[in-house]
Amino acid sequence: SNAFLATRISFINEMAAICDKLDADIKVVAQGMGLDKRIGSSYLDAGLGYGGSCFPKDLKALEWMASFHGAHPQLLRAVMEINRDQRRMAVQRLRDLLGTLDGRTIGLLGLSFKPGTDDVRDAPALEVARMLIGAGARVRGYDPAAMARAALALPALEVTATPYDLADGADALVICTEWNEFKQLDFERIRSLMRYPVIVDGRNLYDPERMRSLGFLYHGIGRGGMRTQDTTEERLAALAAFGDGGR
């Protein structure tokens, strides 16, 4: 059952990647799929993928058992690879938008693998943080419940007391966990605190048009607008306005 639910998540994430290329909206696609009674709407939220203690462990165990006994679990392997790709994609998107990650300050909003828990086992945020640190970025994190566990799991991660401390001087923010309290943030204040107004919404928590109207260079997962020419022009214009010159 966990392998099947994880497959649904990786399927919608693969559709999200296609939506970005075609300027379609994965939210609309998922809504349409969910209207089919044979499918339903659960586990069709595009984002940074699954984490926690159950899905990764159970998929790996099932894949290993199948391989050991001579089966060919190619679907299970694809599900896991797509899940890894979601974290790589977020890091690459930041690199595309900022030009470089070396020396950048990136804030991660949400550290637990899902809202309502302090569990950071296989949390997407920590994998993203490791990749960013490896690329030379300074990485900060904020979470309503999981900061102590995240700091133990990744000592190089700096934790902040509030989301506004997280945004202060940041080159970009990444939404990693869909905590309800993040929906109530004062984004005019956040924009005024950030060094550059760049947001990668890894949970599609916000409305793209509203965020762009507030002056953010905003990209969700599968919400369109990632064609190379559009992205380059938007990035250069936004960063130049803040005196960065697109470095």
Side-chain angles (χ1 to χ4, degrees), residues 57-198:
K57 169 180 61 66
D58 291 349
L59 272 162
K60 290 175 184 176
L62 187 57
E63 188 273 337
W64 183 87
M65 286 189 293
S67 299
F68 184 80
H69 291 284
H72 183 48
Q74 56 187 336
L75 178 59
L76 298 180
R77 291 169 182 162
V79 168
M80 292 186 284
E81 182 63 25
I82 292 168
N83 203 59
R84 287 190 292 267
D85 282 347
Q86 291 306 108
R87 289 78 183 277
R88 299 183 190 120
M89 173 274 301
V91 173
Q92 184 58 49
R93 189 162 294 184
L94 285 169
R95 186 178 283 110
D96 291 341
L97 292 169
L98 293 171
T100 182
L101 294 174
D102 189 24
R104 298 292 194 182
T105 298
I106 310 295
L108 305 183
L109 202 54
L111 299 170
S112 59
F113 85 92
K114 67 177 182 178
T117 181
D118 64 353
D119 194 342
V120 298
R121 286 175 290 181
D122 278 304
L126 295 192
E127 190 170 353
V128 169
R130 290 185 184 98
M131 287 188 281
L132 290 171
I133 291 168
R138 174 188 180 189
V139 183
R140 302 171 178 166
Y142 171 81
D143 189 280
M147 289 195 291
R149 287 182 179 269
L152 285 174
L154 186 59
L157 174 71
E158 302 174 28
V159 295
T160 65
T162 71
Y164 303 103
D165 293 331
L166 182 77
D168 192 12
D171 293 293
L173 297 181
V174 184
I175 315 303
C176 295
T177 315
E178 61 274 33
W179 286 90
N180 278 331
E181 76 171 56
F182 294 166
K183 299 177 182 178
Q184 315 302 323
L185 295 176
D186 181 348
F187 275 97
E188 291 185 356
R189 179 182 175 189
I190 284 177
R191 185 181 181 280
S192 72
L193 290 169
M194 294 179 69
R195 187 180 181 203
Y196 305 114
V198 174

